[in-house]
Amino acid sequence: NRFRGFYTQSYRQSIFSKPRFLVKDGRLALLENPQRTVQDCERFLNDGRTVLRELGEHDYHYRVSAHEGAFDFLPSVRLGKMVAAALNGSVVSPIFDWQGRYVPSSEAYQVTLKIFEAFYRDVLEQGALPVIVIFGDKNDQEDAKRGKPRRYKVLLEAFVERGYMVIDTMEALEAAYDRYSLANLMVDWGHYSVVANSLTARHIAEKIDAWGLSEPEVRARLIHEARQRMGGTPDY
């Protein structure tokens, strides 16, 4: 996503865009933010349609949505566009499959995985040990309550396959579902409550302790092994 207005109506009054990454030839490529100066913003205000088309060129939500046209005054045309947009997002170019999980072939998944790979390698090159912590959102918790698989299941599997150190905080919340309702665990806008934060903090601390990460020699060994797996120089 480059422009939040394409993603949600909550940002329909905003004229600010953002950079994003693409995957080119198997590597991350930065797509710079086109709205970087006052003049860029003035151009948006004066020629919004042109700028929106430019922003939409590399924006998933723009590509799968309906756009205005000369015959939009006809209800049948508007309905047809709505149906086509829904099919485009769910069948032609889906981010999620019918079970609500990430589609590995989607651009969104590929970019996400490459960002994590770059993060992991960068941290190792700095001589530190990377740990990925995943915080399931309100949708993930609702799915877990219904016994549905994690939306990010394929991402977790990719992390495990690569030997990444991962903490999934949903494990802590799922273990507490017999004591707390979703309302106890979440607050407005889907953020964690004090209770949920306490549960996840304890879970993270227990994982770190179980891995022995407080011991320098353990961290050094794990960094060495991770650098070998990623093909980098194992020692400093």
Side-chain angles (χ1 to χ4, degrees):
N1 175 237
R2 298 188 77 194
F3 180 63
R4 296 293 282 178
F6 297 148
Y7 175 66
T8 171
Q9 287 294 309
S10 299
Y11 289 83
R12 60 184 178 275
Q13 299 298 325
S14 174
I15 64 170
F16 300 111
S17 57
K18 61 187 179 72
R20 57 154 292 197
F21 284 109
L22 307 172
V23 176
K24 288 186 176 181
D25 301 322
R27 300 176 64 88
L28 283 178
L30 177 63
L31 187 64
E32 295 282 2
N33 182 10
Q35 303 292 113
R36 286 177 285 179
T37 67
V38 172
Q39 289 73 28
D40 292 332
C41 295
E42 289 176 342
R43 177 171 175 260
F44 198 164
L45 291 172
N46 295 326
D47 191 10
R49 291 183 179 179
T50 300
V51 174
L52 287 173
R53 284 196 299 271
E54 294 171 357
L55 290 173
E57 182 180 358
H58 292 291
D59 193 292
Y60 168 83
H61 301 284
Y62 180 89
R63 294 198 306 267
V64 301
S65 64
H67 305 295
E68 65 178 355
F71 297 97
D72 287 349
F73 63 90
L74 296 172
S76 57
V77 171
R78 296 197 300 273
L79 177 61
K81 285 185 175 182
M82 290 172 61
V83 172
L87 290 174
N88 198 11
S90 61
V91 179
V92 180
S93 303
I95 291 178
F96 303 105
D97 64 16
W98 64 275
Q99 289 183 304
R101 294 179 296 185
Y102 289 139
V103 175
S105 61
S106 68
E107 183 190 22
Y109 176 83
Q110 293 296 323
V111 170
T112 299
L113 186 58
K114 286 296 181 183
I115 288 173
F116 276 110
E117 288 178 351
F119 160 77
Y120 219 82
R121 186 176 294 277
D122 285 350
V123 174
L124 286 172
E125 289 177 353
Q126 293 298 321
L129 183 66
V131 177
I132 298 171
V133 182
I134 297 180
F135 292 86
D137 64 14
K138 187 175 182 178
N139 292 325
D140 295 314
Q141 293 193 48
E142 289 175 345
D143 287 346
K145 284 272 192 180
R146 294 193 291 266
K148 295 180 64 177
R150 282 176 179 32
R151 183 172 40 169
Y152 48 88
K153 181 175 183 290
V154 292
L155 192 62
L156 277 176
E157 291 171 345
F159 292 161
V160 172
E161 181 183 344
R162 287 162 172 76
Y164 294 173
M165 303 193 74
V166 185
I167 299 175
D168 181 7
T169 63
M170 283 294 296
E171 294 175 357
L173 301 182
E174 286 176 319
Y177 283 163
D178 59 337
R179 291 174 287 156
Y180 301 105
S181 68
L182 198 57
N184 297 136
L185 299 173
M186 306 297 290
V187 295
D188 291 342
W189 297 101
H191 290 290
Y192 283 17
S193 68
V194 172
V195 171
N197 277 316
S198 298
L199 292 169
T200 55
R202 188 177 302 113
H203 182 67
I204 292 170
E206 289 171 353
K207 283 284 188 180
I208 290 174
D209 184 59
W211 287 331
L213 298 189
S214 60
E215 302 297 328
E217 62 274 12
V218 174
R219 291 198 303 272
R221 174 177 57 80
L222 292 173
I223 292 172
H224 175 94
E225 294 172 353
R227 287 175 62 82
Q228 284 186 316
R229 283 195 302 271
M230 298 198 76
T233 304
D235 298 306
Y236 292 85

